[in-house]
Amino acid sequence: MANFQVLETKVIFSAVKRSGGNFKGDITYDRLVVNIGGGFDTSSGVFVVPISGVYRLSFSAQSGHRKYEFTDVNVKKNGSLIFHIWDSNEGEKADANNISYTWMMNLSQGDRVNLNSDNHLYADSDNPVTFTGELIHI
């Protein structure tokens, strides 16, 4: 029977933006709810991976208020685009849609993950933007 080592290493973060109204560009955050492992910086919006492994990441927001155009959130790793989270808001009745996505990534220690938006998102006290992540496998 193989010996198993119980790992008590945890990396978990949850960042929230509750201000700014309509905004675009690099997504930064007002508050860090959880930062076990110390990898997240709210002012830059960057998660710097403290431990290599498989991470589950999640993003949630509302598209721009009275911005009747598409919403495009870019997921970046080390400055390179990995994929887009995209929503069509086109049309007069397509205002302020919820947009969310959950994904997994293999990340190495020191990798930098951040999000930005080419088009408007919306944040206020009732409509937070959230970015969360956790290490799920080493």
Side-chain angles (χ1 to χ4, degrees), residues 4-79:
F4 291 95
Q5 180 182 14
V6 176
L7 298 175
E8 296 200 20
T9 304
K10 289 184 171 73
V11 178
I12 303 169
F13 71 86
S14 177
V16 179
K17 179 178 185 70
R18 292 184 177 272
S19 65
N22 287 321
F23 72 94
K24 60 184 174 178
D26 288 336
I27 303 173
T28 59
Y29 303 86
D30 305 321
R31 189 165 78 95
L32 202 49
V33 178
V34 176
N35 195 20
I36 298 170
F40 201 89
D41 176 37
T42 54
S43 63
S44 69
V46 175
F47 172 58
V48 180
V49 178
I51 297 169
S52 298
V54 178
Y55 284 78
R56 178 176 29 234
L57 303 165
S58 184
F59 171 77
S60 177
Q62 180 177 291
S63 61
H65 180 66
R66 296 188 178 179
K67 299 291 181 181
Y68 306 111
E69 52 196 3
F70 69 92
T71 300
D72 187 16
V73 176
N74 302 304
V75 176
K76 294 186 172 187
K77 176 181 163 187
N78 300 325

Side-chain angles (χ1 to χ4, degrees), residues 99-136:
I99 181 170
S100 66
Y101 202 79
T102 299
W103 68 99
M104 290 186 212
M105 293 178 81
N106 286 310
L107 296 170
S108 298
Q109 185 176 15
D111 281 347
R112 302 170 62 83
V113 178
N114 68 297
L115 309 173
N116 71 19
S117 179
D118 292 332
N119 248 336
H120 294 279
L121 293 174
Y122 184 83
D124 68 14
S125 59
D126 293 327
N127 301 284
V129 173
T130 62
F131 182 29
T132 64
E134 64 182 314
L135 175 64
I136 60 172

